[in-house]
Amino acid sequence: YGLVNFAAFLSQAMSEGIRIDSCDEWNTDYIFQDNTEKFPLSNACGQYERAYDLEVCQSTEPFECPIDMEMEVTAVDRDQNFMPGKTGPPAFSCKPYVEDSFPGFYDLFDDVIVENAYSNSLGRTDVAGCCWWKRGALMTGGRCAFGKLNKYVGKEAADDRGIYVYPDIDFCSNPEVICDHVRTHELRWLIGFLDWSGRVQTYVDSNTGWSYMEELKKFSDNGMVGDGFIDAVTNI
């Protein structure tokens, strides 16, 4: 079971971060308007109906990072091969809100950034406190994931419990450390392992009762035939 579980993890990592050779999430959630695709720069706050800054941990592990509206971070990666002849959306970034100043959107047709109060799919027009986009091998995002990392192996673990794994790294004050630290190649795998063990391996669908561990055992015992199990895992 362990080998199949690890293989499932690697397949998910391949489909998320490895395939695009990026540590940071890219801006892909566009709005088709005026006969062109418009990519809100406020997608840094969340894409595809997710709001990364508003997601918190379960009550049993209330370790999410606090929202810092003054934090200013820019991703180190973006889609460098967006489309021939087009620069593509810029790297995600977050910064404090300044009155009447908005990040706007990237206009695919004109290949320009238009700075106005253009909202993403959840109505967000600014990027204040929106520093929690996906990162790492599994493209893990949200305040909970970075808070857990800080609690278990980061600065908080060292300060509060004397666990010195990354005592100099505060994942809550600078989540981009996953991608720009000198030890980035181990950090991007570490946050992926944490996400997999805490979110995927424990997953049970509250409506159907579908359990990752039970389905993993069935898949293994039945000779690992078919794509159903792996396809289901990608939707967790």
Side-chain angles (χ1 to χ4, degrees):
Y1 300 138
L3 290 176
V4 176
N5 178 53
F6 188 58
F9 166 79
L10 290 178
S11 70
Q12 188 69 9
M14 176 60 74
S15 69
E16 295 289 346
I18 298 175
R19 176 181 57 83
I20 62 174
D21 191 25
S22 178
C23 180
D24 288 292
E25 180 182 13
W26 294 347
N27 191 340
T28 59
D29 190 10
Y30 65 85
I31 297 172
F32 191 79
Q33 188 179 50
D34 301 327
N35 294 316
T36 187
E37 292 91 342
K38 297 181 178 181
F39 296 77
L41 302 195
S42 55
N43 278 344
C45 299
Q47 302 196 88
Y48 303 103
E49 303 301 320
R50 284 187 62 182
Y52 306 143
D53 58 321
L54 301 181
E55 296 174 355
V56 297
C57 300
Q58 295 181 1
S59 58
T60 53
E61 294 181 299
F63 303 144
E64 65 271 2
C65 293
I67 296 178
D68 181 359
M69 303 299 284
E70 300 301 313
M71 188 185 299
E72 191 163 354
V73 175
T74 299
V76 298
D77 288 324
R78 70 175 185 87
D79 189 355
Q80 299 285 352
N81 301 300
F82 178 71
M83 185 181 293
K86 302 290 185 179
T87 58
F92 277 145
S93 65
C94 63
K95 60 183 179 180
Y97 173 73
V98 177
E99 187 175 1
D100 296 326
S101 177
F102 301 94
F105 64 92
Y106 166 74
D107 186 304
L108 176 62
F109 183 81
D110 292 325
D111 195 31
V112 296
I113 294 174
V114 180
E115 296 183 356
N116 62 16
Y118 195 79
S119 64
N120 67 0
S121 59
L122 292 179
R124 193 70 186 261
T125 58
D126 67 297
V127 290
C130 293
C131 310
W132 313 105
W133 57 82
K134 298 177 183 178
R135 298 171 173 93
L138 291 187
M139 287 293 152
T140 304
R143 292 190 293 131
C144 180
F146 294 99
K148 284 185 176 181
L149 201 60
N150 209 42
K151 182 73 173 181
Y152 295 143
V153 297
K155 188 175 186 300
E156 187 175 350
D159 292 347
D160 294 352
R161 296 181 290 137
I163 298 176
Y164 298 94
V165 183
Y166 300 101
D168 61 327
I169 300 180
D170 188 334
F171 295 96
C172 285
S173 65
N174 180 21
E176 188 60 18
V177 72
I178 296 292
C179 301
D180 66 11
H181 194 272
V182 66
R183 300 173 72 177
T184 177
H185 290 97
E186 62 189 73
L187 291 174
R188 61 182 71 184
W189 283 105
L190 179 64
I191 193 171
F193 286 136
L194 178 68
D195 186 26
W196 188 264
S197 63
R199 180 177 59 86
V200 179
Q201 291 183 176
T202 61
Y203 180 81
V204 178
D205 189 292
S206 59
N207 295 319
T208 65
W210 190 98
S211 164
Y212 172 80
M213 291 305 297
E214 291 303 317
E215 294 300 322
L216 169 69
K217 293 175 183 177
K218 292 179 184 178
F219 179 65
S220 302
D221 293 341
N222 292 328
M224 297 172 288
V225 177
D227 300 328
F229 172 69
I230 297 299
D231 288 343
V233 171
T234 62
N235 294 318
I236 296 179

